[in-house]
Amino acid sequence: MNKKALAALLTALPLATFSAPAFAADGECGSVTEAEMNWASAGVAAWVDKIILENGYGCDVTLVTGDTMPTFTSMNEKGEPDIAPELWVNAVKVALDKAVSEDRLVIAAEILKDGGEEGWWIPKYVADEHPDIKTVDDALKHPDLFPDPEEPSIGGVYNCPSGWNCQISTANRFKAHKAEEKGFKLVDTGSAAGLDGAIANAYESKKGWLGYYWAPTAILGKYPMVKLDAGVEGDKEAWDNCNSQADCVDPKPNAYPTSDVYTVVTKEFAENNAVAMDYLGKREWSNKTVGEFLAWQADNQGTNEDTAYYFLENYPDVWKAWLSDDVIKKVEDAL
């Protein structure tokens, strides 16, 4: 679902969705259940919601363990929990569209205002030293700047972890841009830890690095990286049918599609808790902000709760934009 489609859906929603029932009109909130997804950005979001909703609005929030498919299925079929704070909708697009059209689920807001980003990245210090490198093809002109870890006489492009779909799309991009003919080798990182370690090692030695990564993540929060432009317009149909497919015979250069990431709630909750819906409809953050607090979490081995408090204490300009003055005061008093 793209932003245009989202806007159409929101427009099409019955006014009752965002109308305040009697109890909510008095500024009251009730019991709320929310999925604490098992990845960091969504887990922190759940805790930020809990702290703000409980202290700012008087809600009683219960967090339950969540993951994309189990949480979506439970909300769609059983109407619980009330909130999925960060749903990467490409994974459930068809089913979500159907659930929205049949009035079981409601898209509350786009929590990641940049969307989920994938692509090929280089360290910021390399981009600063070589401002001519803006696109994938620009980088592939310089195998000397991005040495293969085992054969430094040639260039290396670090692939996505084994078994992930992005391993296929990265290999297809490597082929589409004729990277091997330009003096590069595709580097098998083996695992997410191996990929993360390669970026960390490059930063520690200030060496060149070129490869696949995604945002928002702790790594990109800790090690500033610059995403290379694809150099071409994105072709979603070609991406879905070829660039992302293992049997793609003749991949062409293409841009990674942005992943839409939304907060999704049940229809019943949307209709009966206008207080929480008003907050959720405004709550959003940038990938840069998320990357920064995830980097803090990783460095300090913080829990999702620890990191939510870190965010609230260190990014007041972000969260205060979501709230009224009286709610801001209540949240500040609770920190």
Side-chain angles (χ1 to χ4, degrees):
M1 183 183 299
N2 55 34
K3 292 181 179 179
K4 185 176 181 181
L6 171 63
L9 275 171
L10 291 173
T11 302
L13 285 172
L15 292 177
T17 297
F18 297 106
S19 297
F23 72 88
D26 296 330
E28 298 178 0
C29 183
S31 298
V32 178
T33 56
E34 180 164 354
E36 183 179 0
M37 303 297 214
N38 60 1
W39 61 92
S41 56
V44 175
W47 271 97
V48 168
D49 290 347
K50 179 178 173 66
I51 294 166
I52 288 178
L53 287 171
E54 289 189 337
N55 293 287
Y57 296 96
C59 306
D60 180 14
V61 181
T62 300
L63 300 184
V64 297
T65 301
D67 198 351
T68 300
M69 293 313 298
T71 296
F72 174 79
T73 301
S74 180
M75 292 176 70
N76 192 26
E77 297 180 357
K78 301 178 182 177
E80 56 188 29
D82 298 315
I83 305 170
E86 185 186 299
L87 195 66
W88 290 57
V89 301
N90 284 351
V92 292
K93 183 179 183 307
V94 174
L96 176 62
D97 288 349
K98 188 171 187 289
V100 170
S101 68
E102 295 177 354
D103 285 341
R104 291 191 299 280
L105 299 179
V106 170
I107 295 170
E110 191 172 29
I111 182 171
L112 296 181
K113 61 183 180 183
D114 302 320
E117 294 182 272
E118 297 177 277
W120 286 13
W121 307 67
I122 61 175
K124 186 175 183 300
Y125 53 79
V126 174
D128 290 343
E129 293 171 5
H130 301 275
D132 57 309
I133 300 178
K134 303 290 188 186
T135 69
V136 170
D137 282 329
D138 291 340
L140 294 176
K141 294 175 182 175
H142 302 282
D144 56 308
L145 293 180
F146 308 102
D148 177 88
E150 296 181 351
E151 298 181 65
S153 60
I154 64 173
V157 175
Y158 286 80
N159 203 344
C160 172
S162 299
W164 295 16
N165 179 266
C166 46
Q167 185 183 32
I168 296 170
S169 59
T170 301
N172 281 335
R173 172 175 272 191
F174 187 88
K175 184 178 179 181
H177 285 268
K178 303 184 188 308
E180 185 172 358
E181 297 172 22
K182 297 173 182 176
F184 282 82
K185 173 183 171 184
L186 195 57
V187 180
D188 180 8
T189 55
S191 65
L195 183 61
D196 292 355
I199 293 175
N201 290 336
Y203 246 84
E204 289 173 3
S205 57
K206 286 294 182 287
K207 289 184 178 178
W209 190 96
L210 169 64
Y212 170 89
Y213 215 79
W214 72 100
T217 51
I219 282 289
L220 294 192
K222 185 174 183 178
Y223 303 109
M225 304 284 282
V226 175
K227 189 171 80 170
L228 298 174
D229 190 284
V232 296
E233 292 293 327
D235 183 337
K236 186 65 164 54
E237 183 177 355
W239 185 270
D240 291 340
N241 294 313
C242 189
N243 295 84
S244 62
Q245 302 300 311
D247 59 357
C248 178
V249 176
D250 186 23
K252 307 295 184 187
N254 202 347
Y256 278 81
T258 299
S259 297
D260 295 320
V261 184
Y262 299 134
T263 295
V264 174
V265 303
T266 64
K267 181 67 179 297
E268 181 178 2
F269 177 79
E271 290 183 335
N272 293 293
N273 201 322
V275 172
M277 283 301 291
D278 181 66
Y279 159 72
L280 292 173
K282 298 172 183 171
R283 193 253 291 111
E284 65 174 13
W285 43 31
S286 69
N287 286 350
K288 180 176 182 294
T289 296
V290 176
E292 289 173 356
F293 69 63
L294 292 183
W296 179 89
Q297 182 181 37
D299 286 345
N300 294 277
Q301 298 184 329
T303 64
N304 291 333
E305 182 180 8
D306 296 335
T307 311
Y309 277 106
Y310 172 81
F311 164 77
L312 292 168
E313 290 164 354
N314 290 277
Y315 294 85
D317 292 345
V318 176
W319 62 265
K320 286 183 178 179
W322 310 335
L323 311 175
S324 62
D325 290 343
D326 61 321
V327 175
I328 289 171
K329 179 67 167 55
K330 293 175 183 176
V331 174
E332 285 182 324
D333 290 345
L335 298 180

